[in-house]
Amino acid sequence: MRGIFVSAGFIAAWVVASVTTALAETSKPTGDTLRAVEERGLRAVPLDRLQSMLTEPAVAADGPVQLSRSWVDAQPKASGNAHWRCLSEALYFEARGETVKGQFAVAEVIMNRVKSARFPGNVCGVINQGTGRKYQCQFTYTCDGYPERISEPRAWDRVSKIARAVLDGRAPELTEGATHYHTTAVRPRWSRVYTHTASIGVHRFYRHTFRTASNN
């Protein structure tokens, strides 16, 4: 929107300059005179230039990631393999009500787990770890007994694009290496011993606190 305000200001300045010139030639300007001068000033700006000044620039689909819905909506429809699908589902069921930044942060936790030797080495393995074992699943939606139905197409479209950007290595770092998170509505026991790294939206993020021989 800033570009629109700047352009509008440029147009206004152009019109004012035209009005000033015309008024210098008129001893007693009237309302009709002022309107005529405004019209003359606007007609002096080529139509294509006026349109370009008043059109908000499009968000480049291949540009840097921006943590906004407008950026996500400008991305092409996403697709991918099973791991893309797993990540998209995790974002949909765990964070579809979050901000775009919050959704990227949740995805980052999953990818941090993939990189850690403490968890399975691929996206679907991380997300489905413990599924089927009582109180052992890592992501609640995978073992809450409810079927995973995608009932909000727009939310799915957005999280699938975020998953694509994350898997493509385009996402910014947001959580300082977090491997765990919880909502602000709960406080699990592990949150008292892990290192808190970030708070984004309704989630708090943590990474493991490793003990060494010197601090045991």
Side-chain angles (χ1 to χ4, degrees):
M1 291 302 293
R2 181 176 178 273
I4 290 179
F5 293 139
V6 171
S7 298
F10 176 80
I11 294 171
W14 193 323
V15 172
V16 167
S18 298
V19 170
T20 302
T21 300
L23 290 180
E25 302 169 354
T26 307
S27 57
K28 292 182 179 179
T30 64
D32 290 338
T33 301
L34 292 174
R35 279 192 295 273
V37 170
E38 276 190 18
E39 290 175 4
R40 190 170 73 186
L42 288 171
R43 282 198 299 269
V45 184
L47 182 59
D48 58 345
R49 184 160 187 182
L50 273 175
Q51 290 175 335
S52 68
M53 289 176 178
L54 295 175
T55 301
E56 185 173 7
V59 178
D62 58 351
V65 167
Q66 298 174 27
L67 303 176
S68 67
R69 281 193 174 185
S70 60
W71 182 86
V72 175
D73 291 342
Q75 304 311 297
K77 187 174 180 63
S79 62
N81 59 16
H83 296 298
W84 164 79
R85 177 79 188 189
C86 284
L87 184 55
S88 298
E89 287 182 352
L91 294 180
Y92 180 85
F93 292 109
E94 292 279 312
R96 70 178 179 275
E98 259 284 18
T99 62
V100 168
K101 184 177 181 180
Q103 291 166 351
F104 269 107
V106 169
E108 184 178 312
V109 166
I110 293 168
M111 299 309 295
N112 286 341
R113 287 191 175 197
V114 172
K115 297 171 188 174
S116 171
R118 299 171 67 95
F119 299 95
N122 61 71
V123 174
C124 289
V126 163
I127 292 168
N128 293 304
Q129 185 179 18
T131 299
R133 301 200 303 270
K134 192 173 184 180
Y135 306 125
Q136 296 297 309
C137 59
Q138 298 295 303
F139 294 87
T140 306
Y141 81 92
T142 66
C143 60
D144 60 6
Y146 296 103
E148 281 79 62
R149 291 179 182 153
I150 308 298
S151 57
E152 299 177 36
R154 174 164 256 183
W156 170 260
D157 183 58
R158 285 184 174 133
V159 297
S160 68
K161 291 177 180 181
I162 290 172
R164 183 73 271 159
V166 169
L167 292 172
D168 289 345
R170 300 175 63 196
E173 186 174 341
L174 301 170
T175 70
E176 297 184 27
T179 51
H180 292 71
Y181 66 87
H182 65 78
T183 70
T184 54
V186 298
R187 192 187 178 194
R189 283 183 297 176
W190 53 258
S191 68
R192 300 169 192 170
V193 293
Y194 288 179
T195 301
H196 175 237
T197 62
S199 294
I200 301 173
V202 299
H203 287 104
R204 290 172 63 83
F205 296 85
Y206 302 79
R207 64 171 176 262
H208 282 288
T209 302
F210 294 102
R211 289 185 175 274
T212 66
S214 62
N215 62 16
N216 279 337

Coordinates of all heavy atoms in Angstrom, one line a residue, residues 116-163:
S116 N 17.7 -33.8 13.6 CA 18.3 -34.3 14.9 C 18.3 -35.8 14.9 O 17.4 -36.5 14.5 CB 17.4 -33.8 16.0 OG 17.7 -34.4 17.3
A117 N 19.4 -36.3 15.6 CA 19.6 -37.8 15.7 C 18.6 -38.3 16.7 O 18.4 -39.6 16.8 CB 21.0 -38.1 16.1
R118 N 17.9 -37.5 17.5 CA 17.0 -38.0 18.5 C 15.6 -38.3 17.9 O 14.8 -38.9 18.6 CB 16.8 -36.9 19.6 CG 18.1 -36.5 20.3 CD 17.9 -35.3 21.2 NE 17.0 -35.6 22.3 CZ 17.3 -35.9 23.5 NH1 18.6 -36.1 23.8 NH2 16.5 -36.2 24.4
F119 N 15.4 -38.0 16.6 CA 14.1 -38.3 16.0 C 14.3 -39.0 14.7 O 15.4 -39.1 14.2 CB 13.4 -36.9 15.8 CG 13.1 -36.2 17.0 CD1 14.0 -35.2 17.5 CD2 12.0 -36.4 17.8 CE1 13.8 -34.5 18.6 CE2 11.7 -35.7 19.0 CZ 12.6 -34.7 19.4
P120 N 13.2 -39.5 14.1 CA 13.3 -40.1 12.8 C 13.9 -39.2 11.7 O 13.8 -37.9 11.9 CB 11.9 -40.5 12.4 CG 11.2 -40.7 13.8 CD 11.9 -39.7 14.7
G121 N 14.5 -39.7 10.7 CA 15.3 -38.9 9.8 C 14.5 -38.4 8.6 O 15.1 -38.0 7.6
N122 N 13.2 -38.4 8.6 CA 12.4 -37.9 7.5 C 11.1 -37.3 8.0 O 10.7 -37.5 9.2 CB 12.1 -39.0 6.4 CG 11.3 -40.1 7.0 OD1 10.1 -40.0 7.3 ND2 12.0 -41.3 7.1
V123 N 10.4 -36.5 7.2 CA 9.3 -35.7 7.6 C 8.1 -36.6 8.1 O 7.6 -36.4 9.2 CB 8.8 -34.8 6.5 CG1 7.5 -34.1 6.9 CG2 9.9 -33.7 6.2
C124 N 7.7 -37.6 7.3 CA 6.6 -38.4 7.7 C 6.9 -39.2 9.0 O 6.1 -39.4 9.8 CB 6.2 -39.4 6.6 SG 5.4 -38.5 5.2
G125 N 8.2 -39.7 9.1 CA 8.6 -40.4 10.3 C 8.5 -39.6 11.5 O 8.1 -40.0 12.6
V126 N 8.9 -38.3 11.4 CA 8.9 -37.4 12.6 C 7.4 -37.2 13.0 O 7.0 -37.2 14.2 CB 9.5 -36.0 12.2 CG1 9.1 -35.0 13.2 CG2 11.0 -36.2 12.3
I127 N 6.6 -36.9 12.0 CA 5.2 -36.6 12.3 C 4.4 -37.8 12.9 O 3.5 -37.6 13.8 CB 4.5 -36.0 11.0 CG1 5.1 -34.6 10.7 CG2 3.0 -35.9 11.2 CD1 4.7 -34.1 9.4
N128 N 4.7 -38.9 12.4 CA 4.0 -40.1 12.8 C 4.7 -40.9 13.9 O 4.2 -42.0 14.3 CB 3.7 -41.1 11.6 CG 2.8 -40.4 10.6 OD1 1.7 -40.0 10.9 ND2 3.2 -40.3 9.3
Q129 N 5.7 -40.4 14.5 CA 6.4 -41.0 15.6 C 5.5 -41.3 16.7 O 4.8 -40.4 17.3 CB 7.6 -40.2 16.0 CG 8.5 -40.9 17.1 CD 9.7 -40.1 17.5 OE1 9.7 -38.8 17.3 NE2 10.6 -40.7 18.1
G130 N 5.4 -42.5 17.2 CA 4.6 -42.9 18.3 C 3.1 -43.1 18.0 O 2.3 -43.5 18.9
T131 N 2.7 -42.8 16.8 CA 1.3 -43.0 16.4 C 0.8 -44.4 16.6 O 1.5 -45.4 16.2 CB 1.0 -42.6 15.0 OG1 1.4 -41.2 14.8 CG2 -0.4 -42.7 14.6
G132 N -0.3 -44.6 17.3 CA -0.8 -45.9 17.6 C -0.5 -46.4 19.0 O -1.1 -47.4 19.4
R133 N 0.4 -45.7 19.7 CA 0.8 -46.1 21.0 C 0.2 -45.0 22.0 O 0.4 -43.8 21.8 CB 2.3 -46.2 21.2 CG 2.9 -47.2 20.3 CD 4.3 -47.6 20.8 NE 5.2 -46.5 21.0 CZ 6.0 -46.0 20.0 NH1 6.0 -46.5 18.8 NH2 6.8 -45.0 20.3
K134 N -0.5 -45.5 23.0 CA -1.2 -44.6 23.9 C -0.3 -43.6 24.6 O 0.8 -44.0 25.1 CB -2.0 -45.4 24.9 CG -3.0 -44.5 25.7 CD -3.8 -45.4 26.7 CE -4.8 -44.6 27.4 NZ -5.7 -45.4 28.3
Y135 N -0.6 -42.3 24.5 CA 0.2 -41.2 25.1 C 1.6 -41.1 24.5 O 2.5 -40.5 25.1 CB 0.3 -41.4 26.6 CG -1.0 -41.5 27.3 CD1 -1.3 -42.6 28.1 CD2 -2.0 -40.5 27.1 CE1 -2.5 -42.7 28.7 CE2 -3.2 -40.7 27.7 CZ -3.5 -41.7 28.5 OH -4.7 -41.9 29.1
Q136 N 1.9 -41.8 23.4 CA 3.2 -41.7 22.8 C 3.3 -40.9 21.5 O 4.4 -40.7 21.0 CB 3.7 -43.2 22.5 CG 3.9 -44.0 23.7 CD 4.9 -43.5 24.7 OE1 6.1 -43.2 24.3 NE2 4.6 -43.4 25.9
C137 N 2.2 -40.5 20.9 CA 2.3 -39.8 19.7 C 2.8 -38.4 19.9 O 2.6 -37.8 20.9 CB 0.9 -39.7 19.0 SG -0.3 -38.9 20.0
Q138 N 3.6 -37.9 19.0 CA 4.3 -36.6 19.1 C 3.4 -35.5 18.6 O 3.5 -34.4 19.1 CB 5.6 -36.6 18.3 CG 6.6 -37.6 18.7 CD 7.1 -37.3 20.1 OE1 7.6 -36.2 20.4 NE2 7.0 -38.3 21.1
F139 N 2.4 -35.8 17.7 CA 1.5 -34.8 17.2 C 0.1 -35.3 17.5 O -0.3 -36.3 16.9 CB 1.8 -34.5 15.7 CG 3.1 -33.8 15.5 CD1 4.2 -34.6 15.3 CD2 3.2 -32.5 15.5 CE1 5.5 -34.0 15.1 CE2 4.5 -31.9 15.3 CZ 5.6 -32.7 15.1
T140 N -0.6 -34.6 18.3 CA -1.9 -35.1 18.9 C -2.9 -35.6 17.8 O -3.6 -36.6 17.9 CB -2.6 -34.0 19.7 OG1 -1.6 -33.5 20.7 CG2 -3.8 -34.5 20.4
Y141 N -2.9 -34.8 16.7 CA -4.0 -35.2 15.7 C -3.8 -36.6 15.1 O -4.7 -37.1 14.5 CB -4.0 -34.1 14.6 CG -2.9 -34.3 13.5 CD1 -3.2 -35.0 12.3 CD2 -1.6 -33.7 13.7 CE1 -2.2 -35.2 11.4 CE2 -0.7 -33.9 12.7 CZ -1.0 -34.6 11.5 OH 0.0 -34.7 10.6
T142 N -2.5 -37.1 15.2 CA -2.3 -38.4 14.6 C -2.8 -39.6 15.5 O -2.8 -40.7 15.0 CB -0.8 -38.7 14.4 OG1 -0.1 -38.7 15.6 CG2 -0.2 -37.6 13.5
C143 N -3.3 -39.3 16.7 CA -3.8 -40.4 17.6 C -4.9 -39.9 18.4 O -5.1 -40.5 19.5 CB -2.6 -40.9 18.4 SG -1.9 -39.7 19.5
D144 N -5.7 -38.9 18.0 CA -6.8 -38.5 18.8 C -8.1 -39.2 18.5 O -9.2 -38.9 19.1 CB -7.0 -37.0 18.6 CG -7.3 -36.6 17.2 OD1 -7.5 -37.5 16.3 OD2 -7.4 -35.4 16.9
G145 N -8.0 -40.2 17.6 CA -9.2 -41.0 17.2 C -10.1 -40.4 16.2 O -11.1 -41.0 15.8
Y146 N -9.8 -39.2 15.7 CA -10.7 -38.5 14.8 C -10.1 -38.7 13.4 O -8.8 -38.6 13.2 CB -10.9 -37.0 15.1 CG -11.6 -36.7 16.3 CD1 -10.9 -36.4 17.5 CD2 -13.0 -36.9 16.4 CE1 -11.5 -36.1 18.7 CE2 -13.6 -36.6 17.6 CZ -12.9 -36.2 18.7 OH -13.6 -36.0 19.9
P147 N -10.9 -38.8 12.3 CA -10.3 -39.0 11.0 C -9.7 -37.6 10.5 O -10.2 -36.6 10.9 CB -11.5 -39.4 10.1 CG -12.7 -38.9 10.9 CD -12.3 -39.0 12.3
E148 N -8.7 -37.7 9.7 CA -8.0 -36.5 9.2 C -8.7 -36.0 8.0 O -8.4 -36.4 6.9 CB -6.5 -36.7 9.0 CG -5.7 -36.7 10.2 CD -5.7 -38.0 11.0 OE1 -5.3 -39.0 10.4 OE2 -6.2 -37.9 12.1
R149 N -9.7 -35.1 8.1 CA -10.5 -34.6 7.0 C -10.1 -33.2 6.7 O -10.1 -32.4 7.6 CB -12.0 -34.7 7.2 CG -12.5 -36.2 7.3 CD -14.0 -36.3 7.6 NE -14.4 -37.6 7.7 CZ -15.5 -38.0 8.4 NH1 -16.2 -37.1 9.0 NH2 -15.8 -39.3 8.4
I150 N -9.9 -32.9 5.5 CA -9.6 -31.5 5.1 C -10.9 -30.8 4.7 O -11.4 -31.1 3.6 CB -8.6 -31.5 3.8 CG1 -7.4 -32.3 4.1 CG2 -8.2 -30.0 3.5 CD1 -6.5 -31.9 5.3
S151 N -11.4 -30.0 5.6 CA -12.7 -29.4 5.4 C -12.6 -27.9 5.1 O -13.7 -27.3 4.9 CB -13.6 -29.6 6.6 OG -13.0 -29.1 7.8
E152 N -11.4 -27.4 5.1 CA -11.2 -25.9 4.8 C -10.2 -25.8 3.7 O -9.0 -25.7 3.9 CB -10.7 -25.2 6.1 CG -11.7 -25.3 7.3 CD -11.1 -24.6 8.5 OE1 -10.4 -23.6 8.4 OE2 -11.4 -25.1 9.6
P153 N -10.7 -25.8 2.5 CA -9.9 -25.8 1.3 C -8.9 -24.6 1.2 O -7.7 -24.8 0.9 CB -10.8 -25.7 0.1 CG -12.1 -26.3 0.6 CD -12.2 -25.9 2.1
R154 N -9.3 -23.4 1.6 CA -8.4 -22.3 1.6 C -7.3 -22.4 2.6 O -6.2 -22.1 2.3 CB -9.2 -21.0 1.9 CG -8.4 -19.7 2.0 CD -9.2 -18.5 1.9 NE -9.0 -17.9 0.5 CZ -9.6 -16.8 0.1 NH1 -10.4 -16.1 1.0 NH2 -9.4 -16.3 -1.0
A155 N -7.6 -22.9 3.8 CA -6.6 -23.1 4.8 C -5.6 -24.1 4.3 O -4.4 -24.0 4.4 CB -7.2 -23.5 6.1
W156 N -6.1 -25.2 3.7 CA -5.2 -26.3 3.1 C -4.3 -25.7 2.0 O -3.1 -26.0 2.0 CB -6.1 -27.4 2.6 CG -5.2 -28.4 1.8 CD1 -5.1 -28.5 0.4 CD2 -4.4 -29.4 2.3 NE1 -4.3 -29.5 0.1 CE2 -3.8 -30.1 1.2 CE3 -4.0 -29.8 3.6 CZ2 -2.9 -31.1 1.4 CZ3 -3.1 -30.8 3.8 CH2 -2.5 -31.5 2.7
D157 N -4.9 -24.9 1.2 CA -4.1 -24.3 0.1 C -2.9 -23.5 0.6 O -1.8 -23.6 0.1 CB -5.0 -23.4 -0.8 CG -4.3 -22.8 -2.0 OD1 -3.8 -23.6 -2.8 OD2 -4.2 -21.6 -2.1
R158 N -3.2 -22.7 1.7 CA -2.1 -21.9 2.3 C -1.0 -22.8 3.0 O 0.2 -22.6 2.7 CB -2.7 -20.9 3.3 CG -3.4 -19.8 2.6 CD -3.9 -18.7 3.6 NE -4.5 -17.6 2.9 CZ -5.7 -17.0 3.2 NH1 -6.4 -17.5 4.2 NH2 -6.1 -16.0 2.6
V159 N -1.5 -23.7 3.8 CA -0.4 -24.5 4.5 C 0.4 -25.4 3.6 O 1.6 -25.6 3.8 CB -1.1 -25.3 5.6 CG1 -1.7 -24.4 6.7 CG2 -2.0 -26.4 5.1
S160 N -0.3 -25.8 2.5 CA 0.5 -26.6 1.5 C 1.5 -25.8 0.8 O 2.6 -26.3 0.5 CB -0.5 -27.2 0.5 OG -1.1 -26.3 -0.3
K161 N 1.3 -24.5 0.6 CA 2.3 -23.6 0.0 C 3.4 -23.4 1.0 O 4.6 -23.3 0.6 CB 1.6 -22.3 -0.4 CG 0.7 -22.5 -1.6 CD 0.0 -21.1 -1.9 CE -1.0 -21.3 -3.1 NZ -1.6 -20.0 -3.4
I162 N 3.1 -23.2 2.2 CA 4.1 -23.0 3.3 C 5.0 -24.3 3.4 O 6.2 -24.2 3.4 CB 3.4 -22.7 4.6 CG1 2.8 -21.3 4.6 CG2 4.4 -22.8 5.8 CD1 2.0 -20.9 5.8
A163 N 4.3 -25.4 3.4 CA 5.1 -26.7 3.4 C 6.1 -26.8 2.2 O 7.2 -27.2 2.4 CB 4.1 -27.9 3.4

